[in-house]
C-alpha cells in the first residue's frame, strides 16, 4: 500500500510507534497491553494486537475504516478496535489512548468514580466515571465506555484500565498521564481519611477562568 501521505496515515503510524514506547516508559502499560489510535480522515490507524511495544515498527500499525473493515494487509488490529471506533463515532475525538495503568485499575476495583480532589480534573471534563465491567474486546465494553464518557474526555474501565481521547495523540496521551496522576493523588489523600472534593461550582469557575485566560493569550494580552 503506497499512496504518499496525503491522508496523514504514514505520520500517524510513526507517531503511534513513538507513543507506544512512551506508554511503557511512563508505566501506563506493560508488554503489549493497552492500545492507541489516531483518526485520519475516514480511517483510523491503530496499534496491532499482540506485538510488544518494544518491537513495534510503523509498518506493523493497522488501518481500519470507521466501520471496522481492515484496509491493509498488516497485522491484526487491536482487540479493542470496536471501543476505539465507538468513541470516534460518539465524540469529536481525533486520537484515543487505552491504558492498563496501575493507579486507575486499583481505583476501578474499589470506587465508582475518581472525584475532583484537584482542579486539574477539569482538563478531563470533571470527575471521571468508572464504567461497569464487561469482557475485553466486546461490543458491550465499547458501549459501556461510551456511556460513561458522557461529557468527559476520560473514562475508567472497572477491573481493566482507562481510556482518554483528544484532538490529537499528544493531547490524548497527556490526558492519560493526568488521569493516572490524579488517581495516584487520590489514593494518597485517602490515606489521611475521606478527602474533601471540589464542588461543581468550584470546577465551573476553574473552567471559566481557564477559557478566559486562553482567550487572552490568543489576543496577545500580557500574562
Ligand atoms: Zn485493555
Amino acid at each position: 500500500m503506497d499512496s504518499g501521505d496525503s491522508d496523514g496515515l504514514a505520520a500517524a503510524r510513526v507517531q503511534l510507534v513513538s507513543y507506544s514506547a512512551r506508554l511503557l516508559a511512563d508505566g501506563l502499560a506493560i508488554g503489549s497491553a493497552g492500545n492507541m489510535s489516531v483518526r485520519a480522515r475516514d480511517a483510523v490507524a491503530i496499534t496491532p494486537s499482540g506485538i510488544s511495544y518494544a518491537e513495534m515498527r510503523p509498518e506493523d500499525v493497522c488501518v481500519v475504516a470507521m466501520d471496522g473493515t481492515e484496509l491493509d494487509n498488516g497485522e491484526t488490529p487491536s482487540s479493542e478496535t470496536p471501543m476505539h471506533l465507538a468513541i470516534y463515532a460518539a465524540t469529536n475525538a481525533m486520537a484515543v489512548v487505552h491504558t492498563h495503568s496501575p493507579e486507575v485499575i486499583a481505583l476501578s476495583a474499589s470506587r465508582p468514580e475518581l472525584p475532583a480532589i484537584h482542579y486539574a480534573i477539569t482538563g478531563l471534563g470533571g470527575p471521571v466515571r468508572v464504567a461497569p465491567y464487561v469482557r475485553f474486546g466486546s461490543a458491550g465494553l465499547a458501549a459501556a465506555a461510551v456511556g460513561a464518557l458522557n461529557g468527559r474526555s476520560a473514562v475508567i474501565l472497572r477491573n481493566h484500565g482507562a481510556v482518554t481521547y483528544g484532538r490529537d495523540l499528544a493531547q490524548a496521551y497527556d490526558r492519560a498521564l493526568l488521569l493516572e496522576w490524579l488517581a495516584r493523588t487520590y489514593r494518597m489523600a485517602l490515606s489521611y481519611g475521606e478527602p474533601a472534593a471540589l464542588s461543581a461550582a468550584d470546577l465551573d469557575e476553574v473552567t471559566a477562568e481557564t477559557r478566559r485566560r486562553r482567550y487572552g493569550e490568543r489576543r496577545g494580552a500580557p500574562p
Side-chain angles (χ1 to χ4, degrees), residues 33-35 79-80 83 98-100 136 141 157 160-161:
N35 34 73
S79 55
E80 296 300 359
M83 181 169 70
H98 167 46
T99 67
H100 286 185
F136 82 93
L141 179 61
L157 311 175
H160 184 158

Side-chain angles (χ1 to χ4, degrees), residues 57-77:
R57 303 159 304 166
E59 55 267 40
D60 296 327
V61 172
C62 304
V63 179
V64 299
M66 300 310 289
D67 66 359
T69 309
E70 294 181 35
L71 297 178
D72 61 6
N73 300 319
E75 303 291 334
T76 305

Side-chain angles (χ1 to χ4, degrees), residues 47-109:
T47 50
S49 173
I51 295 184
S52 76
Y53 291 125
E55 293 169 357
M56 193 185 303
R57 303 159 304 166
E59 55 267 40
D60 296 327
V61 172
C62 304
V63 179
V64 299
M66 300 310 289
D67 66 359
T69 309
E70 294 181 35
L71 297 178
D72 61 6
N73 300 319
E75 303 291 334
T76 305
S78 161
S79 55
E80 296 300 359
T81 298
M83 181 169 70
H84 287 249
L85 296 177
I87 291 171
Y88 289 117
T91 69
N92 59 358
M94 291 303 288
V96 174
V97 171
H98 167 46
T99 67
H100 286 185
S101 47
E103 296 286 353
V104 292
I105 294 171
L107 183 146
S108 82

